[in-house]
Structures are given as structure tokens and as C-alpha cells.
Amino acid sequence: MQNLRMIYRDLYDNPETSKGLEFRYSGGMPGREPTEWPPVDFTTYDLAIAHVGPMYVRWRYIYEEIQETFDVRVAFGPLYFLAQTFHQAIRSYKGNRKVAMKDAQFIELRP
């Protein structure tokens, strides 16, 4: 965990790294302004995990959220930084197991 947090911090603190795309869709009554939209705080590994963790539960039945008023946002930054963190941790792993990346979708751990 310490290594993951360190890698995440190094990636996030790099000023040349984009903090990712965020978009919002608001629908509902014509002329009604959307509510305030504070940015997602994913400055640390733990905040990113807290944001991404329940994402599946929130999005699997998104159509149930569409009612008279609808306001949804998607922040890709936390997911992007976590994916890069895991990728770098796997690539730099030093231990008694072999880590082989077969392709972009499959990682194999062998003793």
C-alpha cells in the first residue's frame, strides 16, 4: 500500500500530467440552472479509491436515475491515475514472483 500511495503521489504531483477529463450532463426543467458542481478531489490514492470504488454500483443502473431532473457527472481522472499507478507498480515489481504482462488486458502472476 505504501508503494501504491507513493507511485500515485508521484504521478499526480507531476505538473506535466493532465488531471483527466470530467464531464457533466444535466437535464430537467427548461430554464432551471444546474446545482453547484465542485471538482472531484482525487489528490491522494485513498481519495481516488474512495471515488472509484462505488462507481460500478452508481453506473450499472444509471437509467433508473433519469427522472424529471437529471444531473450526472463522470470524472475520469481518479480512474486514470489508479490505472497508471497499478501499471507502474506491476512493471517495477521486485519480488519472488514473476509478473508478465501478456497484453493490455491480461496480467499473469507466476511463482
Side-chain angles (χ1 to χ4, degrees):
M1 290 304 300
Q2 182 180 1
N3 188 41
L4 290 173
R5 287 181 178 113
M6 182 188 68
I7 292 169
Y8 187 95
R9 185 183 63 244
D10 289 345
L11 289 169
Y12 189 89
D13 289 346
N14 183 344
E16 295 181 11
T17 304
S18 168
K19 298 309 182 237
L21 172 69
E22 210 172 308
F23 72 88
R24 178 181 190 177
Y25 173 78
S26 293
M29 305 300 276
R32 183 175 172 190
E33 292 296 319
T35 57
E36 182 65 27
W37 188 21
V40 173
D41 182 2
F42 59 99
T43 53
T44 68
Y45 174 87
D46 294 297
L47 288 171
I49 288 290
H51 179 78
V52 171
M55 193 177 285
Y56 172 75
V57 173
R58 286 192 307 243
W59 285 93
R60 69 179 168 177
Y61 298 118
I62 192 69
Y63 59 87
E64 291 178 353
E65 301 295 322
I66 300 173
Q67 298 173 10
E68 190 170 309
T69 60
F70 183 67
D71 192 19
V72 67
R73 72 193 286 178
V74 179
F76 290 102
L79 186 59
Y80 170 78
F81 277 91
L82 288 172
Q84 290 301 316
T85 296
F86 300 142
H87 181 77
Q88 188 171 330
I90 290 167
R91 287 271 191 215
S92 63
Y93 177 74
K94 291 177 178 55
N96 60 0
R97 291 185 171 255
K98 181 178 180 183
V99 178
M101 296 190 69
K102 297 280 186 179
D103 58 40
Q105 297 179 12
F106 179 73
I107 298 169
E108 178 183 353
L109 296 172
R110 290 183 274 163

